[in-house]
Amino acid sequence: MVRTISTTRTVGVLVVAFALPCVLSTASGAERPEGSSMVIHYRRPAEAWTEALPIGNGQLGAMVFGGTGSERIALNEDTVWAGERRDRTNPDALKSLPEIRRLLRVGKPDEAEALAERTMIAVPKRLPPYQPLGDLRILFPGHDQADDYRRELDLDSAMVRVSYRVGDATFRREVFASAKDQVLVVRLTCDRPGRLAFSATLDRERDARAEAVAPDRVLLRGEAIARDERHEDERKVGVKFSAFLRVVTEGGRVFTEGDRVEVRDADAATLRLVAATDFRSKDPDAACERALAAADRPYEPLRSEHEDDHRSFFRRVSLEFAAPGDKDDRAALPTDVRLARVRKGESDPALIAQYFQFGRYLLIASSRPGTMPANLQGIWNESLTPPWESKYTININTQMNYWPAEVANLAELHQPLFDLIEAMRPSGRQTAKALYGARGFMAHHNTDLWAHTVPVDKVGSGLWPMGAAWLSLHLWDHYDFGRDRDFLAQRAYPVMKEAAEFLLDYLVDDGQGQLIPGPSISPENRYRTADGKVAKLCMGPTMDVEIAHALFGRVVEASELLDLDPDFRKRVAEARRRLPSLRIGKHGQLQEWLEDYDEPDPGHRHISHLFALHPGDQISLRGTPELAVAARTTLERRLAHGGGRTGWSRAWIINFWARLGDGEQAHENVVALLRKSTLPNLLDTHPPFQIDGNFGGTAGIAEMLLQSHSGEISLLPTLPRAWPTGQFRGLRARGGVDVALSWQNGRATLAELTARVAGRHRVRPPLGQRIEAVNLGDNAIAFQTAGDGTISLEVEPEKTYRIRFR
């Protein structure tokens, strides 16, 4: 049966629009040139998912292909996961722990690994995957051949636009995901009245069914179920989900045929899509109905409020690698053309600045308060069986996702990660007790929607018990950048303390008075023993020692600031004193293990033992110069043997070089990230696609311009020759300070420090420069310059201090 309705009213949750303007407009209505630095654009539709353009609101994500005859918008919802919460604890773990440690002490790692594989790895071994919601499919009859095509992602408005001409008619499409209204919106328009015709439906590869449920509406219901051999031990259950698509037209007819909504002879149309799962709601259908009703407003207010919300985050930071007003003709080139030129050796600093802002855009789109945190693919996953299940891999990847949050002025977007950490605490307590006989809470290298903490997959990657300890340091960083004492007392300190409690019980005396972690691994590397054995499992890997050192230090500092737990503070401080010292090996490198083992893969993608250099601060150029040299040697050896092959690894290397003050090496690796690990749509590739390289690259670029990890604010610490002139505004330093800075011909000209809280800061000028004057308004501020060129500056809240350089 065909049901028909006519309407002239526009409503929206998923909104789609078609039209082709001569120019694009800013929020103020002023014309913006086509080559704007905030626009990623192309002259053809995406042919593959890895060329489509991402939008998202934290809960809903979409990849827009931009086809003319047919449009595919690949959909995700952040809680569509296969599997369920279940106890995966291996019942033999705790009783085997002493024997595993004994075997490692007596030099039998192969036997220790075999025993651990049988007795400590989870049952079943793998966590199930994050899965796509489905696809929105729109067919446009007669549009296969089109002219004047343009597809773009406007980072400033968080909107994908598609425009093209068929005959004498121009069509435009606008797609965005509103965080305010929790709706995906597509707006379709045509400059010729009555010429808009299309059909729209929802589908999914399997485990879901679409049906038309009203003359203007399609419903997709399904369940996320793992059905591949990797998860053969899983029960075939998963999150149940619903997605509603509603189409409202201006003029014309709307009717359904089969599982499709058909539109004929319309002037414009607005599509609204909402989705819900039984993870958040007992009745996903009812949740979708409520969301559609809440978004039942005209298109223009939906769009305007979406843009205002997005810009409240995005416009906090600006970055240019050029003088103000300089025009770069490359901005008019399609992004894939610019990227291809960079691959051939051309320099494009403006593309690097755009890449930085793209990373900020992705975090805004994939991590909002109340949503799940960004996973291995943010929220954008095409496959029912994605690589590494698209989980939260917490031996580097999840942490890297949030490296830009504080420095790039998106601190609120850290919240979903804190919520996941909180959700992990009950499971982490159970795992600590069941596997290690320990108090506190802990986690291994993977977690998921249900915050599982057991070791999964296999010993060589899974038996690494430092995930919670590392994650808890993110709460300290959030405090350190904002200096919110209530947050420290109520959220950060309790989590850090409980993670430290686990370590106090987990560390063992090595017989020489040192406390060492183990059994563990140096993620996910191998070593070769003196008798030729190749192994992963060990006692006392350097990274674990560094994480323990960092966590214990933060716990002591927080305890002192809050005047809490003096006895616990003493225990933690004593344990920190007994941790092994960092060691320099036979090649001059920082040792990755307690013993100076050789590596079967000296170019391994993980460089975990440089945690103390970044994101930690145990190693620094001026504080520990010998260790800094050893860290540099480690980097050089890794790169000489092919290191940095994956996108996220290359991104971490940028941050390492930035901490070592080597602007040329840092820049070389930024360029390598674009040349070797960036897809046509600027998303990172491991390969395959993995989003952490985008976030790590954004953080690395910020780290080259501003650092604040060693008790000082360091301005332009790692400026390369390739960026001789530029400016940034809105980057944040630890201590609650916003920073703006301009430079010309490689020399800083003016900096502004805006304090959010009162405090005293040591400020380091760029290498080779001295601070000449500091002004508060029209008044000069007296200061003294130390022998190393730094100054000490007392600041008051909500005041801006202007610094000039000699």
Side-chain angles (χ1 to χ4, degrees):
M1 182 177 70
V2 175
R3 295 171 286 181
T4 305
I5 61 174
S6 297
T7 179
T8 58
R9 185 168 62 94
T10 301
V11 296
V13 173
L14 162 62
V15 179
V16 184
F18 299 95
L20 180 56
C22 296
V23 296
L24 301 174
S25 298
T26 64
S28 64
E31 290 187 357
R32 182 178 59 212
E34 186 175 278
S36 167
S37 63
M38 290 300 105
V39 177
I40 298 167
H41 66 100
Y42 305 84
R43 290 299 182 184
R44 58 179 180 83
E47 296 179 0
W49 190 93
T50 50
E51 297 177 354
L53 295 174
I55 59 171
N57 61 17
Q59 179 201 356
L60 290 172
M63 296 291 284
V64 183
F65 283 63
T68 57
S70 64
E71 170 68 285
R72 175 191 174 195
I73 300 178
L75 304 170
N76 292 99
E77 201 275 352
D78 66 332
T79 60
V80 176
W81 288 68
E84 62 186 340
R85 184 193 305 278
R86 59 189 293 188
D87 185 359
R88 298 170 181 271
T89 305
N90 194 315
D92 298 323
L94 183 57
K95 63 185 179 184
S96 71
L97 180 63
E99 178 62 7
I100 293 170
R101 284 173 169 163
R102 187 194 70 81
L103 290 168
L104 292 171
R105 282 196 299 268
V106 300
K108 297 181 178 181
D110 48 349
E111 295 181 30
E113 288 180 14
L115 179 58
E117 197 74 52
R118 294 194 307 272
T119 63
M120 298 197 75
I121 298 301
V123 182
K125 290 185 175 184
R126 300 186 73 94
L127 294 177
Y130 173 63
Q131 291 189 342
L133 174 67
D135 291 309
L136 167 61
R137 307 274 186 175
I138 311 172
L139 298 179
F140 303 99
H143 288 204
D144 290 324
Q145 300 298 319
D147 298 311
D148 299 334
Y149 180 88
R150 180 180 172 94
R151 173 173 60 105
E152 68 179 35
L153 169 59
D154 186 336
L155 303 179
D156 182 62
S157 64
M159 184 176 300
V160 170
R161 299 185 182 93
V162 178
S163 57
Y164 58 88
R165 180 172 52 82
V166 176
D168 63 348
T170 295
F171 295 86
R172 182 180 178 187
R173 195 174 312 165
E174 295 181 342
V175 189
F176 64 87
S178 167
K180 183 181 183 301
D181 291 293
Q182 287 303 305
V183 60
L184 183 70
V185 178
V186 185
R187 173 76 173 170
L188 310 174
T189 60
C190 178
D191 66 349
R192 300 288 182 178
R195 296 275 287 273
L196 184 62
F198 65 91
S199 64
T201 191
L202 300 173
D203 66 20
R204 192 175 193 262
E205 184 179 336
R206 67 176 188 227
D207 303 322
R209 179 175 177 270
E211 60 177 321
V213 293
D216 61 350
R217 193 172 306 186
V218 173
L219 165 63
L220 179 74
R221 290 193 187 97
E223 184 174 4
I225 300 175
R227 296 183 185 274
D228 67 291
E229 66 279 0
R230 294 178 299 173
H231 303 99
E232 58 186 12
D233 295 330
E234 285 292 327
R235 292 193 286 267
K236 304 305 180 188
V237 297
V239 167
K240 295 180 175 62
F241 57 83
S242 299
F244 281 27
L245 170 66
R246 187 182 182 194
V247 180
V248 177
T249 66
E250 296 168 25
R253 296 181 299 131
V254 183
F255 57 94
T256 58
E257 187 169 308
D259 61 358
R260 305 185 308 279
V261 174
E262 300 278 354
V263 171
R264 298 288 184 272
D265 308 321
D267 301 331
T270 299
L271 286 69
R272 299 170 176 84
L273 182 141
V274 296
T277 73
D278 64 358
F279 181 81
R280 287 198 176 102
S281 174
K282 292 182 180 179
D283 187 342
D285 283 8
C288 287
E289 292 282 7
R290 291 191 296 270
L292 274 179
D296 188 7
R297 294 183 292 128
Y299 174 71
E300 289 303 329
L302 278 174
R303 170 182 163 168
S304 177
E305 291 172 14
H306 155 73
E307 289 178 335
D308 289 346
D309 169 72
H310 171 76
R311 287 169 176 157
S312 71
F313 294 99
F314 188 77
R315 289 187 174 181
R316 294 174 184 177
V317 174
S318 63
L319 171 64
E320 293 180 273
F321 294 133
D326 280 2
K327 184 177 180 181
D328 187 342
D329 293 336
R330 284 171 299 202
L333 295 173
T335 301
D336 50 348
V337 173
R338 295 177 72 179
L339 192 60
R341 290 187 174 190
V342 170
R343 291 193 180 114
K344 292 179 180 178
E346 185 174 307
S347 175
D348 194 341
L351 183 61
I352 292 174
Q354 188 179 70
Y355 182 87
F356 167 85
Q357 292 285 26
F358 182 59
R360 295 183 67 248
Y361 165 85
L362 292 173
L363 192 58
I364 297 168
S366 63
S367 183
R368 290 295 192 103
T371 72
M372 295 300 295
N375 61 43
L376 273 176
Q377 295 175 298
I379 50 174
W380 299 281
N381 166 39
E382 181 184 31
S383 175
L384 295 170
T385 57
W388 302 283
E389 288 78 37
S390 194
K391 302 186 296 288
Y392 300 101
T393 302
I394 56 176
N395 65 7
I396 173 58
N397 312 93
T398 299
Q399 288 89 340
M400 184 178 285
N401 285 358
Y402 286 89
W403 286 352
E406 303 296 334
V407 67
N409 218 330
L410 300 172
E412 303 95 317
L413 309 187
H414 227 151
Q415 186 67 45
L417 182 64
F418 303 155
D419 292 342
L420 179 62
I421 296 169
E422 193 65 37
M424 292 165 64
R425 289 174 75 183
S427 174
R429 292 174 192 135
Q430 178 183 343
T431 302
K433 183 178 180 180
L435 270 66
Y436 301 100
R439 297 165 297 169
F441 94 111
M442 58 82 62
H444 292 85
H445 92 300
N446 269 159
T447 191
D448 61 2
L449 180 68
W450 295 278
H452 287 108
T453 54
V454 290
V456 297
D457 298 343
K458 54 188 176 181
V459 165
S461 56
L463 198 54
W464 181 76
M466 304 299 290
W470 188 352
L471 285 174
S472 69
L473 292 170
H474 278 251
L475 289 102
W476 171 267
D477 273 348
H478 184 74
Y479 160 74
D480 206 10
F481 274 92
R483 297 295 170 91
D484 182 341
R485 192 179 180 90
D486 289 339
F487 176 84
L488 179 65
Q490 297 167 17
R491 295 213 67 178
Y493 179 68
V495 172
M496 292 192 301
K497 178 184 177 182
E498 194 170 7
E501 284 176 332
F502 166 73
L503 292 182
L504 290 176
D505 287 354
Y506 169 68
L507 296 169
V508 295
D509 193 304
D510 69 348
Q512 301 176 15
Q514 295 186 127
L515 293 177
I516 60 173
S520 186
I521 59 172
S522 184
E524 299 166 6
N525 205 357
R526 303 174 296 160
Y527 62 92
R528 180 177 285 112
T529 63
D531 60 0
K533 294 177 181 176
V534 174
K536 290 186 175 181
L537 202 61
C538 65
M539 298 294 292
T542 297
M543 185 195 210
D544 293 17
V545 173
E546 293 169 333
I547 292 174
H549 186 277
L551 177 60
F552 286 165
R554 302 315 187 205
V555 168
V556 168
E557 189 172 352
S559 171
E560 291 171 342
L561 286 168
L562 299 171
D563 194 21
L564 293 173
D565 302 325
D567 292 338
F568 183 73
R569 183 194 315 153
K570 290 177 183 177
R571 287 184 58 213
V572 170
E574 173 61 16
R576 187 183 194 222
R577 186 189 65 79
R578 294 178 60 191
L579 292 172
S581 299
L582 300 181
R583 304 177 184 187
I584 299 174
K586 58 192 173 187
H587 303 292
Q589 89 287 6
L590 189 73
Q591 282 186 201
E592 191 163 355
W593 297 273
L594 279 178
E595 296 188 38
D596 194 8
Y597 295 123
D598 287 328
E599 298 175 80
D601 181 10
H604 196 266
R605 63 193 181 279
H606 283 261
I607 318 179
S608 303
H609 52 309
L610 293 193
F611 172 93
L613 176 66
H614 182 279
D617 59 4
Q618 188 178 353
I619 298 175
S620 65
L621 267 177
R622 298 171 186 87
T624 58
E626 291 185 2
L627 291 175
V629 170
R632 183 184 184 94
T633 300
T634 299
L635 269 182
E636 291 170 344
R637 283 178 53 79
R638 275 289 204 270
L639 290 168
H641 289 88
R645 293 184 294 267
T646 65
W648 63 263
S649 179
R650 182 71 65 179
W652 202 354
I653 288 167
I654 297 166
N655 286 273
F656 289 145
W657 284 122
R659 287 284 175 94
L660 290 171
D662 193 325
E664 302 316 308
Q665 287 284 359
H667 178 261
E668 180 180 316
N669 281 276
V670 170
V671 173
L673 184 64
L674 289 174
R675 286 178 179 165
K676 300 177 181 180
S677 300
T678 300
L679 295 163
N681 56 8
L682 295 189
L683 287 175
D684 170 71
T685 180
H686 182 282
F689 161 59
Q690 208 168 281
I691 204 166
D692 36 29
N694 287 105
F695 294 134
T698 290
I701 293 166
E703 199 76 16
M704 295 168 70
L705 302 173
L706 176 69
Q707 294 180 22
S708 59
H709 59 280
S710 293
E712 64 183 32
I713 297 173
S714 184
L715 306 173
L716 296 184
T718 319
L719 186 68
R721 289 189 296 270
W723 305 340
T725 299
Q727 59 257 314
F728 66 79
R729 179 173 292 276
L731 295 183
R732 297 175 71 218
R734 291 171 177 84
V737 177
D738 289 8
V739 181
L741 192 146
S742 59
W743 68 95
Q744 193 167 7
N745 299 322
R747 315 293 281 179
T749 54
L750 177 67
E752 293 182 347
L753 275 57
T754 302
R756 300 190 183 202
V757 297
R760 178 174 290 276
H761 300 280
R762 190 166 77 246
V763 182
R764 179 175 296 278
L767 185 67
Q769 293 189 260
R770 294 178 71 84
I771 292 173
E772 183 175 57
V774 180
N775 286 80
L776 178 59
D778 294 329
N779 300 319
I781 303 295
F783 62 90
Q784 288 187 333
T785 302
D788 62 356
T790 61
I791 69 165
S792 181
L793 186 63
E794 189 86 28
V795 299
E796 299 178 34
E798 309 305 325
K799 294 186 177 180
T800 297
Y801 299 80
R802 295 169 64 85
I803 299 175
R804 296 191 179 276
F805 302 89
R806 191 178 306 166

